[in-house]
Amino acid sequence: MIEIKNLKKSFNQNHVLRGINLNINDNEIVSVIGSSGGGKSTLLRCLNFLEHGDSGTISIGNANIECSNAKKQEINAIRLKSTMVFQSFNLFKNKTALENIMEPLIVNKILPKAQAKTTALKYLEKVGLENKQNEYPSKLSGGQQQRVGIARALALNPEVILFDEPTSALDPESISDILKLIKEVADEKRTMIIVTHEMNFAREISDRVVYMDKGEIVEEGSPEEIFTNPREERTRQFLARYLQPEYII
């Protein structure tokens, strides 16, 4: 269970999150949609404490933290419960695909080195890259790098996986492949929050869809409610601009 209460975040005078309240159940898949600059990625980064919220509370499982007074030990506890898949992959350029997956397992003392290697190989195979284990990121395509990023997230076995626009840096063919992989992960009944501009994908994969605009949650509901009969005019205007044929899963 994830609980976010009155989460606020500003950059100088720019109020990016204006008091976010959101609950997410175990094994629920929630897609967050909205125009660029609406605060979606900042919300994810605050959940993983890559950005520190100015105020509000965040709870993931039994870890609870007050953002304005976050202690290092509390932040580490939250981070161990969630992991991020980034739009720009964020792989270590000086480490192989295998080592990129092993690194957080070893650094966070989750597994000893030998066991971390076995686990990393397992998840490389899961994402179809077992033959690329010794390749460095510079030798991998964008889609392959994102597969390594997803394998790294899965290997940590977190309580929640945060996907921050995971297809935005990819070519059309790779987008389709990565969306299929994320759907396979979703079928395992993991808790997932997905920031995405792929509307058809969000409609198909989600238990719930959240529409954000200007740092606020404008409305949330089932995919059917949001995409077929949105209550708010701002949601209707957004969907009229952005809803169009996309990648079929």
Side-chain angles (χ1 to χ4, degrees):
M1 173 84 171
I2 300 168
E3 187 174 41
I4 305 165
K5 290 184 178 179
N6 200 28
L7 178 61
K8 297 181 181 180
K9 176 64 179 177
S10 297
F11 295 99
N12 298 319
Q13 299 303 311
N14 182 20
H15 300 288
V16 181
L17 299 177
R18 298 173 178 267
I20 299 296
N21 293 287
L22 183 64
N23 291 340
I24 296 171
N25 298 317
D26 290 341
N27 304 324
E28 188 176 21
I29 299 167
V30 175
S31 289
V32 184
I33 63 172
S35 302
S36 297
K40 306 181 303 297
S41 292
T42 300
L43 173 60
L44 290 196
R45 292 177 67 84
C46 285
L47 284 179
N48 200 236
F49 275 82
L50 297 172
E51 299 287 354
H52 286 227
D54 299 327
S55 61
T57 61
I58 295 170
S59 300
I60 301 178
N62 59 5
N64 181 70
I65 193 165
E66 170 60 54
C67 294
S68 63
N69 189 33
K71 298 177 176 60
K72 185 175 181 180
Q73 185 176 358
E74 294 173 326
I75 292 171
N76 288 339
I78 285 281
R79 284 178 173 165
L80 286 173
K81 293 180 177 292
S82 65
T83 191
M84 182 92 79
V85 176
F86 299 88
Q87 55 183 297
S88 55
F89 321 133
N90 281 34
L91 301 180
F92 296 108
K93 292 180 171 55
N94 63 334
K95 294 185 181 296
T96 65
L98 182 67
E99 290 168 340
N100 264 281
I101 300 170
M102 292 173 61
E103 184 73 6
L105 295 170
I106 296 169
V107 169
N108 292 311
K109 299 181 180 178
I110 297 171
L111 294 174
K113 187 174 181 179
Q115 199 171 344
K117 183 176 181 179
T118 300
T119 299
L121 286 169
K122 169 186 171 182
Y123 283 101
L124 271 178
E125 182 177 359
K126 183 178 181 67
V127 301
L129 290 180
E130 61 272 22
N131 62 334
K132 300 289 185 181
Q133 61 178 283
N134 296 318
E135 298 285 356
Y136 289 90
S138 62
K139 299 296 184 181
L140 300 175
S141 69
Q144 289 170 337
Q145 289 185 65
Q146 193 59 290
R147 285 176 178 272
V148 174
I150 293 171
R152 178 176 59 186
L154 293 173
L156 288 165
N157 195 29
E159 292 188 19
V160 57
I161 303 177
L162 311 172
F163 290 88
D164 184 14
E165 298 187 28
T167 61
S168 65
L170 303 177
D171 60 83
E173 183 177 357
S174 295
I175 289 174
S176 182
D177 289 343
I178 292 300
L179 293 182
K180 287 177 182 176
L181 176 58
I182 295 172
K183 189 172 185 301
E184 289 172 9
V185 174
D187 289 340
E188 299 175 359
K189 302 301 181 184
R190 292 176 179 267
T191 308
M192 296 163 54
I193 306 175
I194 307 170
V195 168
T196 182
H197 289 292
E198 310 289 345
M199 296 298 144
N200 289 342
F201 174 69
R203 185 171 190 164
E204 179 176 352
I205 199 172
S206 305
D207 297 307
R208 185 156 39 115
V209 176
V210 173
Y211 169 57
M212 286 185 66
D213 184 44
K214 297 178 181 178
E216 301 173 330
I217 293 177
V218 177
E219 71 174 292
E220 58 181 288
S222 70
E224 185 69 17
E225 290 169 334
I226 296 298
F227 289 107
T228 302
N229 191 30
R231 300 184 306 274
E232 302 295 331
E233 180 60 27
R234 273 196 282 174
T235 313
R236 290 192 287 270
Q237 291 177 356
F238 167 78
L239 291 174
R241 293 195 305 270
Y242 288 92
L243 192 58
Q244 55 186 340
E246 290 168 350
Y247 304 93
I248 305 302
I249 307 303

